[in-house]
Structures are given as structure tokens and as C-alpha cells.
Amino acid sequence: MIEVEHLDFFYGKAQALHGVSLKVQAKQVTAFIGPSGCGKSTLLRCFNRMNDLIEGTRIGGGSIRIQGVDIYDPSVDVIALRRQVGMVFQKSNPFPKSIYQNISYGLELQGVRDKSRLDAVVEKSLRGAALWDEVKDRLHTSALGLSGGQQQRLCIARAIAVEPAVILMDEPCSALDPIATSKVEELIQVLKKDFTIVIVTHSMQQAGRCSDRTAFFYLGKLIEMDATQKIFTKPAHQQTEDYITGRFG
Amino acid sequence: MQSGEQNQALSSALKGKTRLRVFGLTFDDVMRYFFGGNATVAVVVLALILIFLLKEGAGFFGQNHTNIRVYRKAGLEYVDIMRAPLEEFSSLTRSLNDVRLKRFRTLLAQGKDVAAANEALTPFDDFANAFGAAASEARGVVSDTTEVASAVKTRAQVSADREEEKAMLLHSGKAAEAAALKVDEVNYEAEIKMITGTAPVWKAASLEMQEKLGAALVVARAADWSKGDKDLAKVLEKTERFISDLPKGESRMAAWRWDEPVPFSRAVTAFLFGREWLTASFWQDWYGILPLLVGSLVVSLIAMVIAVPFAIAAAIYISEVATPGEKAVIKPYIEFISAIPSVVLGFFGVAVLGTALRSLSQVEWLHWIPGFPMTERLNALTAGCLLAFTSIPTIFSLAEDALSNVPKHFKEASFALGATRFQTLVRVLIPASLSGIISAVLLGFGRVIGETMVVLLCAGNRIAIPDFTEGLSALYQPVHTMTGIIAQEMGEVAQGSIHYRALFMVGIILFTVSLLINFLAQRVVRKYRISIG
Amino acid sequence: MNASPNSHPFTTPVTGAVRIERIAFNAFRMATYSILVAATLIFGIIFVKGSETIFRREFPFINVTFLTGSPETLHVFEHDGQKHELGDKAFRAYLESHGNPQVADENYVYSAGGIFPCIVGTFFLVVGSMAIALFVGISAAVFLNEYSRGGPLVEMLRLAILNLAGVPSIVFGLFGFGLFVLFAPVFGPAPDPSHFSLSLGFTYLNFSGWGVSLLSGWFTLAFMVLPVVITASEEALKAVPKGFRDGSLALGATQWEAIRTNVLPYALPGILTSSILGIARVAGETAPIMFTAAYVVRDRLPWQVEHASEVLFQGVMALPYHIYVVSSKIPQNVYTERVQFGTAFVFLFLVLCIALSSVILRSRMRARYRW
Ligand SMILES: Nc1ncnc2c1ncn2[C@@H]1O[C@H](COP(=O)(O)OP(=O)(O)OP(=O)(O)O)[C@@H](O)[C@H]1O
Ligand SMILES: [Mg+2]
């Protein structure tokens, strides 16, 4: 699904990624782990070119292909790309609009005005994000009135409403309490039937619980990537083992 | 795995040129350029200000050059050389009058009545009369030549106007009418002979003056009544110098040539360093910016001397000493002051403050202050006080920002060493925020020097460099300012005239000064950033 | 050390340092309070003296003529053993009704009647110039805060904005006079021989200037407050969380869509309230409109025109300029004082209300928009 080859990435003069190569399989959950500052978010944001918005960033070498299309090719429309590669942020960021408008926003951008279709998609997305039952009576109240966990699930619902092929999640649970976290994790398990998911996490348990494959990064390099099972039981590299056993530092 | 069909759909979606493009630009690009265009308005306006000030003002130097050339060719310059010693002489007679007044007062104070006092001053008066009469011949010569020269100048102006009219007619294709228009060429050489021809007469008059004055001096020196009077001695000494300097003027007259070219730089220096701003005069107009510049500076300095201590003290108080409650009230209140329109402050000066200050200066027990009581209600001090008020909010907010932007750990480190709040303030906070404070003061100065309505209404509007020899009382003299002169005269001048252009030149100077102050303030702040991080 | 029984090392010893601190802090306090006192005095004197003109003891308690009339010449004279103070119209009517007697009257221009045309003119000036300034200023701020990526060009823009803020208002007046009054283009059916003109095919563009007019005043004032508006707008835009932008972009919004739907709506209240300070500035400045838009007197109100297009090309009376005129061009005495303080009162009151509403709205906003 996503193929990264020898990717070098720079913030101005500082290189954040060094020759990263990996493959993300379709309809699986791939987890990125690694110590802070190792470039997980950077790589994730390369997948939907959110890094384009930051001043002075550039790809130094290598390529990223999604379904065989080089997404940094000039012929690729960033907007179209972002519709196919959705993103959920670390800090939940619902718009200060109603719950309904939050979900319908993405479709309205695509020019969908048909009320019945919007209604259907809103319901479907909220159900998909396991939020429907909690909010169905107050769809038209402000999204800012939801709890933190609900807000994050709303953001997920917002992302799946536009039916992307891939959903990127950058530490989606880091600001949530354990119960909200487990709800999001359950959700991820459900979503992977329909979507390809890449998730950045700091929690070993989370990576272990909900991902199929795990990639370990260190200082901007991919150290190893394998089935999650294998990474957590028989890592090939000493560094990986140190990290997941908490002997790191 | 995904079906091939879906595969295709995704990759074609990625490649899809879904968005409408006009000239290769998407709507998003168009918006971007639209906003960018609006952002450049600031640069454009700045450039336009410069361009239009220059467009209207640049012609000034050419016109001023012509103005000065006519001054020379028509012989006005020559007459002014003659007149210069007479003016000096007038000031000598004035000081002599002062001496008499002082003596008169002492006599009265000694208990004499008016008649007796006048009686006692008779020998002095005889001397003064002889002194004054010495110049009568010379005055006659100057006033004759003055008439001749101004007649020449008038004719020169008429012919210049005709010339212009003719050019206009030719330009609009009315050749016949243009030809019919007769332009009298002024024969300067012939005219000037009439003026320079008076040189021998002047010389005689000047000699006579030297002799008479010399004689009067001898009498005065020998007489009893002049003994021990320091003021008089000073005047006499000056007179002596005056006598010996008189021939110098003659030699300048002899060296003067009507056809000596006036260098163009003279038009510039006459503006930048000219000590006179004299317009609509029957004799000769001068556009020297010095009196206005000095006026602006004096008023601004007074304002800053008042505003800086108050504003900075208040900034320190609010950021370091005040209780939160005080802070919540005082800060907005001071910032609120900046909303007072300057014209209202100006009106306040005219209606209330000017009178109040003057009455204050007339209070008996304040007379020890130099220059009190003031003679004028509206003067540099009145304007300065009010201007201080306009700049206090600016300086206060910027300085307060600078103080509260000092990183907290600086302060904590100092407290941890057992320093008092005041010691922390002086040793840590002020040094750390010094450049911020300096730039606040600079920006406050910029505001003050560019302020118009207050000075226009309250500064007294007398175009003269204050007499700094009088010490502090120079501050209570009325002045005129660069901003004030533009506001006052712009409405009355003919478009395109030299006076009009001179006002634009003043505007250019103001613009430059404001850019310079801004530049300095930014430099100071930038330096500070580097030193802290 | 002091050996009294309850002494411990942490008592405050009154040392020199502490004494100096007390003196210094008290000096700072005095300086601060004297600023406040001075300001209060200025407000107080103007309000007290002005309210004599504005308020009345009887119903309707407000001097309606002063607020709704036009300036007139005041005639002060004695007739039939009585002292009269009448405005121009009333004076003539009085003479008429008394058989046109010869009276020795002192007259003072602008000292009777009211200041309605000035209030209206200032209102027109403020609305037009703020509309222009807000349009350009918000757009510029959107570019600087949303689109620009730094670099020397953007640095230059910011520098220009900073410098523009420091340009004296009288220089704006000269600039407005040079550009808008004398040079700005107007459409005309035929080329104007005395000015530069451009043929557009169907009509001509004559660079003959807009004259002393509302339009000239609008642009001059708009450019003067532009830095204020830009700074205010940028602050408001910065206050909108980055997540809103990222959120919409990640959903496939173009940048403009993200700004339109998820940035501007939340920044706009902030922009508007902060820009109210700009309104106070525009309403208060005299120097820029002296030669570009203000008339000393004008009989007709701005809407009393024959063609709609004339609305833009007419000069107006304005409160600040009127204050300048009445405080510098007429003598100071009991009769003229009324109009002087009255006008100052009305003007100061309006401007301070504007400024106050900005302060209040801003603190309200801070409380309401917390995301
Ligand atoms: N906007 C930016 N400008 C410059 N450098 C950046 C920027 N964002 C990240 N970096 C640098 O790039 C490197 C990788 O950052 P990244 O955010 O990808 O780390 P991360 O693995 O996501 O860390 P964390 O777990 O803390 O989120 C870091 O060294 C960081 O300092
Ligand atoms: Mg991260």
C-alpha cells in the first residue's frame, strides 16, 4: 500500500529522516515506535504531505509511493492526496462547530450539498467511530462540549467520513484516560477492516495490543520493522530490545 | 488484498487534476496572490509617500536657486550687505536703552523721583543721542537702494511671469498670441549700476558713522558717569569692535559681483542650514528649516524630559510593584490616554493649560525659577507638557512590555540570592530590558516629533530660533515647528509655488526623521535579542 | 545583632537597602498616580465645562440644537435694555420683528447653532476609511499569518508595516493631498487638457485628482490606520489554534477553504474588536484630513447632493477639524467658550466611548473564546 524508499527528510538544514525504507500493508495496523524526536511524526506527516506546510522542509532523496503513485510527483494534487490519506492528531482538534458540521465538513469541501446523503454519512461515520449512541441526541450542539475521548473519536469519525484509503494517527491516545484509550483501541481494531492504519504511539502495550506490524525508529533511522509479535518477542536488534524492555536511555 | 479496480481508482484519484485552473492557477493560488497583493500595500504606500512628497517637493531646489539668483542679480544681496551693519547697530542702541533703563530703575530705587532721575541721566542721554544720530546718513543710503533693488526685483518677476505665460500659449498652440505678448528683458547690468553706484556715498556715510561713533566713545570713556558700569563697558567694547569691522563690509561690497553665478548647492544649504523662514515678504523670501527644526526639537525635548521619567516610573511600578487590582485599573487607564485625540489636547492647552501655566509663573514665590514669569501664554513649554501626555502611553506600554518580557528565572535567581525587589530591579530587570526601554523612548520621541495639532495650537507659532543665550527662559518662548508650519501654511499657498514646494520639503525631512527613529528603535531591539539569547 | 527574645534570623531588618527600596517604590507610585490625576483633570475639566453646553436643566435635559443644528454666527447685542445672544437666523428674525433697529452687535463666528454636520462628517469619514482599512488590512494579515513562509520579501513587508506606523500623520496629510487630491484618476468623457490622461477606449481616465473630498479622506485615513489593523488582525489570527487549520487541511481542504471555514470566522470577532482602536484613531486625527477632506464650513449635509456620485466627491465638516477651527480662529471669551468646550466634550465623549467599548469587548472576548 505505502512504500517508502531511502527517504531523507530535512527541516531546513537539520536532517530528521535518514534513508528510511519500509512498506505498509493494506488493511493492517502499522505502529511506529521509538524515543521522542526520532522522526515518527515526521514520517507520518510525509504520507499526507502535511510537512509541506512547514517552512523550509524538503525531501532530500528517496520516494514515497501510495498504490504505486509517487506522492511527491508534481502531477499529484496534494488536496486529492489528503482526501485519500486522512489524519488524526495527537491533540484532538474538533472545530468549534456542531458535531454534525464537524463530520459533514469534509464532504461539504468536496461539494456534497445533498442533505440526505450528508445525514447518512454523518450517522455512518459516527457509528463507525462508535460514537453514535453517545451523541445522536445532540448532533447539533457544539463539539467542544464533548469529553476528551469523545472529541478524539469525533476526529476519527471526521476522518473516516471522507472515506480515505489510509488513516494516519499521531499518538491519538496520548491525551486520553485509560478508558477512553481502550475505546479508541477497540475502534482501531474495527476500522482496520476497511482502512489501512498507521499509528504512532509511545505506549508499548498499545502497539502490542492493536498493531499487526511495528516499526522501530531511532535517531531518524528505521532500525527494524517486522510483525508486532516478533518485534516484541524476538527483536533482531539490541537497540529495539532495550527500548521495548524500558532499558533505554 | 485490495482489488485491482480499487487500486486504479485510488491512483487515478491521486493523479487527478480535479481542480479548475485558470492560466495554470488554481483558485487557491489566486486567493494567495490576492492576499499577497494586499500585503504589499504597506510597501506600496510607503513608496508612494516618498514618490509624491518628492514629486511635489523636488522642484523646490530649482525654484529656490532661481529665488537666490534673482536676489543677487537684482542687487538685493548687495543692499543686504549694506544693511547688515545697520542691523547690528540697531541692536547696540537697544542694549544702550537697556543700560539706561537699568540706571533709571536704580535711581528710582535710591529714592529719586522721575524728573530727578531723568535729570541725572542727561549726560547719558546726550551721549545716546549722539550715538544714535551717527547712523542717520547711512540709513538714508540703504533705504534709497532698497527701493531701487525691490523695483528691479519686481520687474524681474513680471518678466518671468510673462515668459511663463508665453510658454503656456506656445504649448497650447496659440503662436500668434504668444508673439504678441511682449516680454521686457530686465537689463540687470544697467540696473545694478544704479545700486553699486551708491558705493562712494555709502563709503562717505560709513566714514562719518565711524568718526561720530568714535567721538562719542571717547566722550563716554572720559566721562564720570560711565565709570564702574559693567553693562555700559560691554556695550562700548562692542561698539569699538563694530567700528573696526565696518570697513570689512565695504570690502565685501567691493568684491560683490551681480553676475557671479550662484552655485546650486546654495539652494540646498539655504534650506538645510538657513536660519530664517520668511515668506510673503516684500523684500526677499527665505526658506531655511533651522528655526522649525530647532522649534520641533525644543518642544520634543521638553516633552521627553517630562514624559520619560513618568512613563518609565509608571511602567516599573505597574510591572513590579503594583497589586493586581491596581494593575487591572491603571494599565488600561494609561493606555486609554492614548485615545485622547491630539486636537483635544491642543484645545485644552489653548483654553486651560496655557493660562494656568502663565498664572503659575506669575506667582511671587516662584520667581527664582529662571525665566519666570513667562510673557507668552502659548509657548514651547505649554506644547511640551501636552506632548508629554501624548507620548506617555506609548512609552509606558512599550517599556512595560519590555520589563514583563524579562524571563522569570532571571528575577527568581536574583531573589534566591537574597536581593531585595529594588536591587533585583536595578541590577537585573532594568539591564535586561534596557534596550526595550530605550526603543520605547525612541518610539515615543518619534510620536512626539511627528505630532501636529498640539504644537500647532499651543507652541505659539513664532518662527524664530529661541534665544538660547537667555538660558532656561528660552523654553518659554513661542516657537514654530515643522509639523505646525505644514498644517498652518499648506492651506494658504498657491499650488506649485516655491512656498508650496518648501512645505513638501519639510514633509520629506519629517518623513526621513521618522524613518530614522524607527530604524534606530529596531536596531536597538534587535541587538538586545542577540545579547539575551 | 539584636538580642531581643523573639528575634530570629528571618525578621526584616530595616537596613539601608530596604529604606531605599521604600523611597524608590513610593516615588514610582507617585509618578504613576500623578499621570492618572493629570488625565483625570483633563477629562474632568472638559467634561464639566462641556456639560454646561450639552446639558440643560429643563426637559429634554440635552441641548438638542447643539447636537442637531449647524454652526452659526453668534450675535451679542443690547436692545430695549436687554442683553440678547442670538444665532444668525434668530438675530435676523429678531431685527425683522422689531422693525430693523440699528443695534451695535458683537459677533462671533461658529459660536451659535450646533455641530451636527461635523458629527455626520466624522461618521462618514470613519465608516469609509475603516471599510477600506479593514479590507486591505485583514487581507494583508491573512497573507502574513497564513500564507507567507518568511524570507526576505516578507521581512520587507513587516518592516514596511512597522515604518508606516511611525510616519507622522501630517505627512499622511501631505501624501494624501499630493496623491488623492491632486493626482488620483477620475473617469471623464473627454481628455482633460491640463492633466495627464489615459484613453481607455470607451472613456478617459484623467489624472486630475479627487479634490478635497470624502474619497481622498477615506484613503488617506485608511492608509494611516493600516498598520493598526494589520497588527490587530494578525494577533487575532494567531489566537486561532493551529489544530483548526491542520484539521481541515488533513480533510482535503485547500488552504483558502481552511482559512475561510475554520480560521477567519473565529478570528473575525477578535479582529473587529481590536480594530475599534483604529476607529478611535481615525476619528481623532486632524492633520491627515485638513487638506484632503475637511471643510471649515459647509452648508449642505453629505446626503444633500444632486447626483449620487457627488457623495464621494464632496468635502465634509469633521469634529476634530472643527475643534481646531474654533480653538484657533476665534477669540477666547465667555461666548465662544461654550461651543469650544461643547464640541470638545462631544468629540472626546465619542472617541472615549469607542475606545472603552474596545477595551470591554476585548476582555469579554478573552473570556468567551477559549479553545
Ligand atoms: N517544525 C520543525 N522544524 C524543525 N525541526 C523539527 C520540526 N518538527 C520536528 N523537528 C525535528 O525533527 C526531529 C524529529 O521530530 P518528530 O516530531 O518527527 O519526532 P517524534 O518522533 O514524533 O517525537 P515525539 O515522540 O516527541 O512526537 C526532531 O529532532 C525535531 O526536533
Ligand atoms: Mg511526534
Side-chain angles (χ1 to χ4, degrees):
Chain A
M1 182 78 186
I2 305 177
E3 293 156 39
V4 184
E5 268 169 31
H6 303 297
L7 186 71
D8 291 326
F9 186 86
F10 295 84
Y11 287 106
K13 288 205 178 84
Q15 187 164 2
L17 294 176
H18 301 262
V20 172
S21 300
L22 56 80
K23 282 200 174 79
V24 173
Q25 304 296 334
K27 311 244 162 132
Q28 277 194 355
V29 178
T30 306
F32 288 178
I33 59 171
S36 190
C38 66
K40 307 177 297 285
S41 303
T42 305
L43 180 60
L44 201 69
R45 292 165 65 89
C46 282
F47 292 164
N48 66 348
R49 290 181 57 177
M50 285 297 275
N51 280 328
D52 288 15
L53 303 167
I54 299 170
E55 227 169 274
T57 56
R58 70 196 161 83
I59 300 277
S63 66
I64 303 177
R65 291 169 183 285
I66 296 184
Q67 292 297 37
V69 179
D70 182 349
I71 60 167
Y72 281 88
D73 189 85
S75 70
V76 167
D77 186 13
V78 194
I79 305 304
L81 171 70
R82 293 198 189 127
R83 283 182 187 161
Q84 294 299 330
V85 184
M87 187 161 200
V88 176
F89 297 84
Q90 176 172 6
K91 191 166 166 287
S92 66
N93 56 352
F95 305 132
K97 307 176 192 275
S98 72
I99 295 169
Y100 185 96
Q101 285 169 327
N102 262 282
I103 309 287
S104 65
Y105 179 80
L107 286 174
E108 277 166 10
L109 286 177
Q110 297 177 15
V112 178
R113 291 279 174 278
D114 177 7
K115 185 84 172 70
S116 56
R117 184 162 161 221
L118 287 179
D119 287 345
V121 170
V122 168
E123 180 172 347
K124 183 172 159 227
S125 313
L126 285 173
R127 280 189 196 284
L131 197 59
W132 175 251
D133 294 329
E134 291 160 61
V135 301
K136 63 172 185 266
D137 301 325
R138 47 168 172 154
L139 286 180
H140 295 281
T141 59
S142 168
L144 298 182
L146 297 174
S147 74
Q150 288 173 325
Q151 287 190 3
Q152 192 62 294
R153 279 180 285 145
L154 179 70
C155 291
I156 295 175
R158 191 173 71 186
I160 61 181
V162 295
E163 299 188 325
V166 183
I167 300 178
L168 310 173
M169 299 186 179
D170 192 350
E171 304 182 35
C173 304
S174 66
L176 302 184
D177 62 83
I179 295 176
T181 302
S182 69
K183 279 198 172 159
V184 173
E185 283 176 10
E186 280 164 26
L187 181 57
I188 291 172
Q189 290 310 313
V190 177
L191 289 176
K192 82 176 185 186
K193 292 196 187 74
D194 298 314
F195 304 93
T196 306
I197 294 172
V198 184
I199 177 170
V200 170
T201 176
H202 271 281
S203 149
M204 297 309 120
Q205 291 84 347
Q206 187 171 60
R209 278 195 300 269
C210 62
S211 73
D212 302 309
R213 290 173 67 78
T214 298
F216 173 65
F217 292 85
Y218 184 54
L219 293 181
K221 295 195 180 74
L222 175 67
I223 303 301
E224 68 173 301
M225 177 168 185
D226 216 324
T228 303
Q229 201 67 26
K230 176 136 183 295
I231 291 272
F232 277 86
T233 50
K234 291 196 288 276
H237 288 256
Q238 185 61 39
Q239 280 167 327
T240 319
E241 189 176 343
D242 287 350
Y243 182 69
I244 56 182
T245 52
R247 255 183 285 140
F248 207 78
Chain B
M1 280 302 280
Q2 239 153 331
S3 72
E5 213 171 298
Q6 252 179 317
N7 239 332
Q8 255 313 215
L10 179 55
S11 45
S12 72
L14 288 184
K15 284 268 188 186
K17 301 270 178 206
T18 42
R19 285 188 286 168
L20 181 70
R21 275 167 197 268
V22 183
F23 299 120
L25 296 176
T26 61
F27 183 66
D28 210 37
D29 294 330
V30 174
M31 290 312 288
R32 187 193 159 89
Y33 287 120
F34 167 76
F35 288 129
N38 276 302
T40 55
V41 166
V43 178
V44 172
V45 169
L46 218 51
L48 280 178
I49 292 178
L50 194 61
I51 290 171
F52 276 86
L53 290 185
L54 283 175
K55 174 175 171 280
E56 301 297 324
F60 168 75
F61 291 120
Q63 285 180 339
N64 203 21
H65 190 220
T66 317
N67 175 34
I68 298 172
R69 255 188 4 223
V70 171
Y71 175 66
R72 173 165 293 170
K73 282 203 287 192
L76 276 72
E77 189 177 34
Y78 188 80
V79 179
D80 274 345
I81 299 177
M82 280 197 229
R83 197 198 315 274
L86 286 183
E87 252 147 43
E88 205 179 320
F89 182 75
S90 300
S91 98
L92 283 177
T93 24
R94 268 199 302 277
S95 355
L96 216 50
N97 275 342
D98 290 345
V99 171
R100 186 188 190 277
L101 195 65
K102 208 167 165 190
R103 289 182 158 220
F104 186 70
R105 286 219 179 109
T106 12
L107 286 175
L108 289 189
Q110 284 164 4
K112 293 214 168 88
D113 65 1
V114 176
N118 275 332
E119 174 75 43
L121 284 173
T122 320
F124 184 90
D125 288 344
D126 290 343
F127 158 74
N129 288 341
F131 191 93
S136 55
E137 191 74 16
R139 279 190 207 283
V141 178
V142 167
S143 100
D144 290 347
T145 46
T146 296
E147 262 164 45
V148 178
S150 57
V152 177
K153 186 182 172 183
T154 312
R155 253 181 293 150
Q157 255 157 9
V158 169
S159 69
D161 289 351
R162 285 272 167 77
E163 201 90 57
E164 205 172 305
E165 206 179 321
K166 197 167 179 174
M168 283 268 274
L169 285 174
L170 276 176
H171 183 75
S172 51
K174 296 175 186 156
E177 286 166 54
L181 199 73
K182 235 178 77 164
V183 178
D184 297 324
E185 280 293 329
V186 182
N187 185 349
Y188 289 110
E189 188 159 19
E191 304 279 4
I192 219 73
K193 286 243 170 70
M194 303 198 8
I195 299 172
T196 49
T198 57
V201 188
W202 168 257
K203 198 158 189 174
S206 157
L207 261 180
E208 189 188 321
M209 193 152 122
Q210 288 174 44
E211 274 165 20
K212 282 191 179 166
L213 281 180
L217 267 189
V218 171
V219 172
R221 287 252 158 83
D224 288 341
W225 51 262
S226 68
K227 298 265 148 47
D229 186 333
K230 274 191 198 138
D231 292 332
L232 181 65
K234 232 186 245 166
V235 176
L236 296 183
E237 215 168 283
K238 271 192 194 157
T239 312
E240 210 161 326
R241 228 176 301 137
F242 172 73
I243 296 172
S244 62
D245 280 352
L246 264 178
K248 272 192 205 157
E250 277 164 42
S251 58
R252 271 181 69 203
M253 280 160 66
W256 183 84
R257 315 246 336 118
W258 71 275
D259 51 357
E260 191 186 331
V262 179
F264 193 78
S265 63
R266 178 84 196 282
V268 181
T269 51
F271 173 71
L272 288 179
F273 307 111
R275 300 171 61 90
E276 255 180 310
W277 180 280
L278 202 65
T279 56
S281 125
F282 85 101
W283 178 247
Q284 170 68 14
D285 288 352
W286 291 110
Y287 302 95
I289 200 175
L290 271 191
L292 307 172
L293 184 69
V294 172
S296 281
L297 286 178
V298 167
V299 175
S300 309
L301 287 180
I302 295 175
M304 293 313 277
V305 165
I306 300 171
V308 169
F310 277 98
I312 290 181
I316 293 173
Y317 183 74
I318 291 302
S319 75
E320 300 306 322
V321 189
T323 62
E326 274 183 309
K327 202 168 165 172
V329 175
I330 296 175
K331 209 176 148 188
Y333 196 64
I334 294 184
E335 282 163 354
F336 204 55
I337 295 175
S338 68
I340 306 178
S342 58
V343 71
V344 171
L345 283 178
F347 163 69
F348 185 80
V350 171
V352 182
L353 186 71
T355 324
L357 277 180
R358 193 173 54 176
S359 328
L360 182 75
S361 79
Q362 282 159 349
V363 173
E364 197 68 40
W365 51 269
L366 281 176
H367 279 183
W368 54 269
I369 299 177
F372 272 32
M374 314 179 190
T375 45
E376 298 289 337
R377 188 166 62 94
L378 301 178
N379 56 42
L381 182 72
T382 317
C385 288
L386 289 164
L387 276 186
F389 219 71
T390 63
S391 65
I392 280 179
T394 311
I395 303 176
F396 166 81
S397 344
L398 292 171
E400 209 261 340
D401 276 354
L403 278 168
S404 48
N405 279 344
V406 175
K408 220 182 188 155
H409 59 259
F410 278 34
K411 210 156 100 177
E412 282 162 359
S414 171
F415 284 145
L417 292 173
T420 64
R421 283 199 293 172
F422 185 68
Q423 284 164 336
T424 309
L425 181 71
V426 174
R427 302 263 170 88
V428 179
L429 289 177
I430 292 183
S433 55
L434 191 62
S435 40
I437 295 177
I438 292 176
S439 93
V441 171
L442 277 172
L443 290 176
F445 185 72
R447 252 209 92 166
V448 160
I449 207 161
E451 175 51 59
T452 310
M453 299 320 289
V454 169
V455 290
L456 178 60
L457 286 167
C458 305
N461 297 354
R462 190 175 77 194
I463 310 174
I465 299 178
D467 188 355
F468 291 110
T469 55
E470 293 185 18
L472 260 187
S473 74
L475 303 183
Y476 318 133
Q477 291 170 7
V479 292
H480 215 319
T481 54
M482 297 191 287
T483 50
I485 202 98
I486 298 175
Q488 191 183 30
E489 298 187 341
M490 193 65 200
E492 300 159 7
V493 296
Q495 223 185 84
S497 66
I498 177 172
H499 188 179
Y500 169 88
R501 299 204 188 287
L503 293 177
F504 272 91
M505 280 312 297
V506 177
I508 292 174
I509 300 276
L510 262 177
F511 182 62
T512 320
V513 168
S514 75
L515 289 188
L516 212 70
I517 289 175
N518 247 330
F519 172 77
L520 277 182
Q522 282 151 26
R523 271 288 288 272
V524 170
V525 171
R526 197 160 298 165
K527 224 173 177 176
Y528 147 84
R529 282 219 189 100
I530 290 165
S531 74
I532 241 192
Chain C
M1 267 244 128
N2 190 332
S4 74
N6 60 352
S7 91
H8 56 82
F10 306 128
T11 46
T12 331
V14 182
T15 57
V18 172
R19 209 168 299 129
I20 289 173
E21 171 169 306
R22 271 188 209 151
I23 294 170
F25 283 180
N26 277 321
F28 294 155
R29 181 174 295 125
M30 296 231 308
T32 311
Y33 280 94
S34 46
I35 294 175
L36 304 187
V37 167
T40 313
L41 263 180
I42 293 181
F43 293 138
I45 291 177
I46 290 179
F47 282 146
V48 167
K49 287 217 166 194
S51 55
E52 287 167 19
T53 312
I54 304 298
F55 299 112
R56 287 280 169 274
R57 279 185 209 296
E58 325 78 53
F59 185 80
F61 303 109
I62 280 185
N63 185 347
V64 179
T65 344
F66 188 71
L67 294 179
T68 58
S70 298
E72 285 177 43
T73 302
L74 177 73
H75 296 264
V76 181
F77 60 96
E78 272 183 46
H79 188 241
D80 289 345
Q82 255 193 324
K83 196 164 182 200
H84 297 273
E85 294 169 22
L86 293 177
D88 216 15
K89 279 183 223 132
F91 176 62
R92 259 178 275 147
Y94 179 90
L95 292 188
E96 199 103 332
S97 65
H98 287 76
N100 289 321
Q102 282 292 323
V103 294
D105 71 318
E106 298 169 38
N107 50 44
Y108 304 99
V109 278
Y110 316 134
S111 300
I115 53 169
F116 185 58
C118 311
I119 300 176
V120 169
T122 291
F123 176 77
F124 270 67
L125 280 171
V126 167
V127 169
S129 54
M130 279 317 284
I132 298 171
L134 281 175
F135 181 82
V136 178
I138 296 177
S139 306
V142 166
F143 177 78
L144 289 173
N145 200 53
E146 306 294 326
Y147 286 102
S148 82
R149 298 258 184 107
L153 272 174
V154 174
E155 277 300 298
M156 197 179 84
L157 287 180
R158 291 191 183 279
L159 205 66
I161 293 165
L162 266 180
N163 280 310
L164 203 59
V167 173
S169 55
I170 187 82
V171 173
F172 274 104
L174 279 180
F175 154 71
F177 183 73
L179 175 56
F180 302 119
V181 176
L182 299 182
F183 189 76
V186 285
F187 291 107
D192 180 340
S194 51
H195 295 101
F196 177 65
S197 65
L198 267 182
S199 169
L200 294 181
F202 56 97
T203 179
Y204 288 89
L205 213 49
N206 294 323
F207 287 80
S208 54
W210 294 335
V212 173
S213 63
L214 267 181
L215 209 53
S216 303
W218 283 352
F219 278 94
T220 310
L221 289 173
F223 288 151
M224 188 192 70
V225 288
L226 195 57
V228 178
V229 177
I230 293 179
T231 320
S233 310
E234 260 208 279
E235 244 161 57
L237 286 170
K238 281 206 181 90
V240 177
K242 194 167 168 299
F244 292 4
R245 301 177 179 88
D246 284 351
S248 17
L249 290 172
L251 287 171
T254 64
Q255 208 166 357
W256 166 236
E257 282 166 339
I259 293 167
R260 183 172 55 84
T261 55
N262 266 326
V263 178
L264 273 185
Y266 309 121
L268 217 50
I271 293 176
L272 293 181
T273 43
S274 312
S275 296
I276 294 179
L277 273 187
I279 298 185
R281 175 109 201 264
V282 165
E285 279 289 354
T286 320
I289 57 170
M290 282 176 113
F291 342 115
T292 57
Y295 283 154
V296 178
V297 270
R298 181 177 162 81
D299 304 332
R300 281 185 295 173
L301 290 167
W303 51 81
Q304 293 169 336
V305 289
E306 280 158 29
H307 301 290
S309 65
E310 284 171 34
V311 171
L312 298 183
F313 291 100
Q314 62 177 337
V316 291
M317 294 185 75
L319 273 173
Y321 192 54
H322 193 64
I323 293 183
Y324 165 64
V325 171
V326 296
S327 54
S328 68
K329 304 271 197 273
I330 58 178
Q332 291 269 316
N333 59 38
V334 276
Y335 305 114
T336 59
E337 205 181 71
R338 282 184 295 218
V339 64
Q340 291 169 341
F341 276 100
T343 315
F345 176 100
V346 172
F347 186 41
L348 194 59
F349 181 75
L350 290 179
V351 170
L352 292 188
C353 279
I354 295 170
L356 196 66
S357 66
S358 146
V359 172
I360 293 173
L361 280 176
R362 252 198 296 180
S363 62
R364 276 255 208 93
M365 285 263 310
R366 256 182 228 132
R368 210 174 73 203
Y369 286 93
R370 237 182 261 137
W371 23 65

